[in-house]
Amino acid sequence: MIPHVVLTWVTTARGGAENSVAELAGNLARLVPSVDVVWWRQGGPAAGSCAPAHVREVTDWHGYQQALTRACSPPDDRPVVVISSHRTAAADVVLAPNARVIPVVRHVVDADQVLRVISPGDGAMVERTVGTLPWDLLSAVPVWVGISHASSAALRKHAPQARYVSTIHNGVAIPTEPPARTRPEAGRLLIASVARTVPWKRVDHLVRAVADPRLSTAVRLDVFGDSGSHQPELTQLANELAAPVRFLGYADDLPQRLAGYDLLATAAVQEGFGRAVIDAAGVATPSLVPNAGASPELVLDGLTGMVYDPDDPSDLVAALTDALLDRAMLARMGSAARALAEAWYTPGRCAAQYLTLVMGQQPRSLGSFVWISQSLVRVCR
């Protein structure tokens, strides 16, 4: 029997992960007969459209318990698979004992990294390292998902009982037609960065780079993302260095904005995926990323963008200088980046890979295979 699929998500801020969860839900709902999303809003955005999936939005632990219990009780007694996250996995195992729970880890974890997770006892948000998660409960999880090879490798290394880890890169919806690029071949190099201003995003490294005297009069850095705990320090740093930086806040129309830039630059070394890189690729804007975390998986150095040494500030300045001096190179990289995004980082491919895991959690029948085969043809066209 084809299972009922439930996605659970706890959101505390606006970001790329929220968009990825919504897109996954919508595309899975094109493949299987019934998909529910239990969206616990803890200060982050509303769920928005996950159509044709059904959204159950809640704002507290009691609501989450009720919504998940109902979502995991389909009227026809079909099997249930819950696509969870590291935040909700243990709670979901307790609240849905008859479901198969597949947690998705959206970070590159290390042994000492503090993760914020939902306590299965009272629903409180608590801090744990990966080794101190409630593995007595999580040992029942049949398979974990990392959203990049880097994320999966870190989970295998540091999670004591993650028996099987599958890598499924996020899918990102990109414009059907590439936007017209009107950037001049000369003048300031316009650089975008997409990052909430929290320390681990390392936006200060970008600020210092564009403040370099060899670049400061020839480039401009615009940072998109909600203000975080590091915003006051970053603003002060930019002022002290007279850096050509603007902090523009969160943008709902980010892909369209990125079409107006020559380059996207990132600095985080623990990025689990880096959705902005594919958003930029979709509008033919290449990226400059550190050689750490998942970033090198998304950017082919010299072909779809550039990769720099995150431990060498001069390498970042040198890469920005190369970009400034060769706009034709950036245009070629942008075209190749879009072609790669169209070929691999598609929502349909992502949903199809999750579907393979979902169907592996319960006995298959010939009828199920016929339904899935027909659905895959529709969603992957």
Side-chain angles (χ1 to χ4, degrees):
M1 182 180 293
I2 300 169
H4 174 62
V5 179
V6 180
L7 286 83
T8 61
W9 184 248
V10 176
T11 178
T12 58
R14 293 181 294 184
E18 281 67 29
N19 294 331
S20 295
V21 171
E23 287 180 349
L24 174 60
N27 280 277
L28 273 173
R30 298 170 58 197
L31 290 168
V32 296
S34 57
V35 174
D36 271 321
V37 181
V38 180
W39 187 282
W40 186 352
R41 187 178 182 185
Q42 290 195 13
S49 176
C50 300
H54 175 242
V55 177
R56 301 171 186 264
E57 187 167 319
V58 301
T59 57
D60 56 31
W61 173 235
H62 179 68
Y64 186 82
Q65 290 175 295
Q66 287 191 324
L68 183 59
T69 300
R70 290 171 182 167
C72 293
S73 304
D76 53 3
D77 294 324
R78 68 176 60 243
V80 177
V81 176
V82 178
I83 299 176
S84 185
S85 72
H86 74 271
R87 283 187 175 175
T88 57
D92 293 348
V93 167
V94 171
L95 295 175
N98 296 322
R100 304 301 294 271
V101 176
I102 301 175
V104 181
V105 178
R106 299 181 179 274
H107 299 280
V108 177
V109 298
D110 60 38
D112 300 320
Q113 182 179 356
V114 174
L115 303 173
R116 301 176 68 202
V117 301
I118 299 298
S119 168
D122 58 8
M125 186 79 80
V126 297
E127 295 185 345
R128 298 280 186 269
T129 62
V130 67
T132 59
L133 293 176
W135 287 103
D136 55 331
L137 297 174
L138 296 176
S139 62
V141 169
V143 57
W144 293 71
V145 173
I147 60 173
S148 63
H149 294 301
S151 176
S152 295
L155 187 61
R156 293 188 189 100
K157 180 178 180 180
H158 298 295
Q161 296 185 45
R163 293 178 296 173
Y164 177 68
V165 183
S166 179
T167 299
I168 302 179
H169 288 103
N170 285 341
V172 180
I174 65 174
T176 303
E177 296 294 332
R181 308 262 321 158
T182 57
R183 293 291 308 129
E185 295 182 0
R188 281 183 179 261
L189 181 77
L190 298 186
I191 308 163
S193 184
V194 181
R196 194 160 57 96
T197 50
V198 292
W200 76 272
K201 289 289 189 177
R202 296 180 13 134
V203 177
D204 57 307
H205 289 248
L206 300 178
V207 173
R208 294 182 188 279
V210 299
D212 187 284
R214 292 164 290 184
L215 292 172
S216 60
T217 62
V219 305
R220 190 184 79 214
L221 171 66
D222 289 345
V223 181
F224 295 95
D226 279 340
S227 295
S229 61
H230 207 207
Q231 183 65 57
E233 290 87 346
L234 288 171
T235 301
Q236 182 178 352
L237 178 65
N239 291 336
E240 289 176 351
L241 299 178
V245 178
R246 301 189 302 177
F247 296 99
L248 301 181
Y250 186 85
D252 288 316
D253 58 343
L254 182 62
Q256 291 76 15
R257 296 281 194 99
L258 293 177
Y261 289 84
D262 299 297
L263 185 69
L264 175 82
T266 70
V269 296
Q270 288 185 296
E271 198 71 74
F273 180 74
R275 180 187 174 95
V277 171
I278 308 303
D279 278 329
V283 295
T285 297
S287 293
L288 171 64
V289 301
N291 188 21
S295 296
E297 297 176 40
L298 308 187
V299 173
L300 303 179
D301 192 20
L303 179 61
T304 67
M306 296 179 286
V307 178
Y308 67 91
D309 181 355
D311 297 321
D312 183 359
S314 65
D315 199 37
L316 174 55
V317 172
L320 289 171
T321 302
D322 289 343
L324 175 64
L325 297 176
D326 195 345
R327 307 297 177 88
M329 172 189 70
L330 295 182
R332 291 193 300 271
M333 288 179 173
S335 296
R338 178 176 166 86
L340 179 61
E342 288 180 310
W344 180 248
Y345 296 102
T346 68
R349 184 274 312 158
C350 178
Q353 286 187 286
Y354 275 100
L355 179 63
T356 300
L357 288 187
V358 166
M359 292 302 293
Q361 302 311 307
Q362 43 81 51
R364 300 172 180 83
S365 67
L366 179 60
S368 297
F369 278 123
V370 171
W371 172 279
I372 295 302
S373 298
Q374 293 172 342
S375 299
L376 280 171
V377 169
R378 290 195 298 270
V379 80
C380 295
R381 279 175 178 167

